[in-house]
Amino acid sequence: MHGEYKMPGGKLVVIDLDLHDDRLANVQLSGDFFLEPDSALQTIHAALIGQPADADEATLASVLHDALSSEVMMYGVSPEAIAVAVRRALHRSPEA
Amino acid sequence: MMRTDWRDHDWQLIHTIPQSPTLHMALDDVLTHEVGAGRRAPTLRIWEWAAPAVVIGRFQSLRNEVDTAAAQRHGIEVVRRVSGGGAMFIEPGNTITYSIYAPLSLIKDMSFQQAYAFMDAWVIEALGELGIKAWYQPLNDITSAGGKIAGAAQAHRGGAVLHHVTMAYDINAAKMLEVLRIGREKLSDKGTTSAAKRVDPLRSQTGLPREAVIARMIATFRRLRGLGDDSLLASELADAESLAQGKFASAAWLADVP
């Protein structure tokens, strides 16, 4: 499943994921954003994996805020934008 | 850590023979590390390209961004860089690329937006001297009334900031669009994507040879910031060659974000 969101004033945020037993699995975030350190990408994946398929945007954003330390710097991307891309992936058919 | 100014540093220039795309990726990695460790003075490196390339950002999906079959057909190498940002389509002679390796103290307490504009203020000035009124377009573009001129990316590593920029000198838009995939969602906000933004290259804007534009840029940096002439150490080149082969040429790194 694939979802894209162009963050207003920011960058393209893309999520690819699968569902296993109604939970997020194999989550991959990508896009032309900036993220420091780059290992934060794996932190984001780990935080999203296992979340229920019906988690809403606010819940997903909150999970990401909790997982990311204050050391992580984001430019052109945010927990809220990632949450939108996840919801879009979950709402769209695989070929969308 | 105290905030430093450009003139607090002994800036050095590296401008060498054309090098392969993977070696360029590795040199950025090695030289950022060397400046961060204090073994190298802060440096401006002007790139010369030995081969055409698509350079994708650290977090871009290889298959979403690049038509690898088309790239192969055109003999274009696809590489992933260490910084975020968007894909660049490079043909030797068509782009002007440079890197600045600086201690983090130079941009201490700046927002990302401030730091990008700060690192390229000298280029805005150099473009003005060439008759182009250019300005910074957040997040990371240099633009002009005619269109986009350049895109920048930064990465922070162990006490140093890498700031690198690719400027369009000339462009083969048809070939670029064959090789880069341009998604619809990307077009939704600003009407266009980084790679396809209406680019107004320096060749048509200045009427000058690429070498003359580079010479003006170097002269402006030298006047504003101070700049000595340097070259790569044999050890730096050896480290970069090893990293180019071991990491940047590897399928694992290229497909790190598949």
Side-chain angles (χ1 to χ4, degrees), chain A residues 1-5 13-17 85-86 88-90 92 96:
Chain A
M1 303 167 91
H2 180 87
E4 301 191 355
Y5 177 56
V13 180
V14 182
I15 287 284
D16 289 277
L17 57 76
V86 171
R88 287 190 174 186
L90 291 165
R92 286 181 182 180

Side-chain angles (χ1 to χ4, degrees), chain B residues 125-140:
Chain B
E125 173 122 0
L127 290 171
E129 291 164 11
L130 290 166
I132 301 172
K133 184 174 162 26
W135 61 90
Y136 229 81
Q137 175 75 49
L139 307 178
N140 58 322

Side-chain angles (χ1 to χ4, degrees), chain A residues 2 4-12 14 16 28-36 38 41 73-76 88, chain B residues 58-61 63-64 84-86 112-113 116 139-140 152-157 185-186 188-190 256-258:
Chain A
H2 180 87
E4 301 191 355
Y5 177 56
K6 173 67 178 65
M7 179 175 151
K11 295 293 184 181
L12 184 71
V14 182
D16 289 277
Q28 175 70 62
L29 168 66
S30 64
D32 59 349
F33 49 80
F34 299 90
L35 185 62
E36 300 274 0
D38 61 357
L41 192 71
M73 296 186 292
M74 297 179 136
Y75 192 43
R88 287 190 174 186
Chain B
R58 173 68 186 88
F59 307 108
Q60 287 191 298
S61 157
R63 71 169 170 257
N64 284 351
F112 276 109
Q113 193 169 319
Y116 275 77
L139 307 178
N140 58 322
Q154 287 185 7
H156 297 186
R157 290 292 141 81
E185 177 63 20
K186 252 189 216 180
S188 68
D189 178 33
K190 286 183 279 189
D256 184 58
V257 181

Side-chain angles (χ1 to χ4, degrees), chain B residues 42-92:
Chain B
T43 298
L44 168 68
R45 181 170 76 93
I46 311 279
W47 303 27
E48 296 295 341
W49 294 89
V54 167
V55 181
I56 60 174
R58 173 68 186 88
F59 307 108
Q60 287 191 298
S61 157
L62 176 61
R63 71 169 170 257
N64 284 351
E65 295 300 325
V66 186
D67 183 334
T68 45
Q72 213 158 25
R73 199 162 61 239
H74 288 293
I76 296 167
E77 192 173 347
V78 183
V79 294
R80 182 184 298 278
R81 64 176 183 267
V82 295
S83 64
M88 307 182 309
F89 175 66
I90 309 282
E91 293 185 286

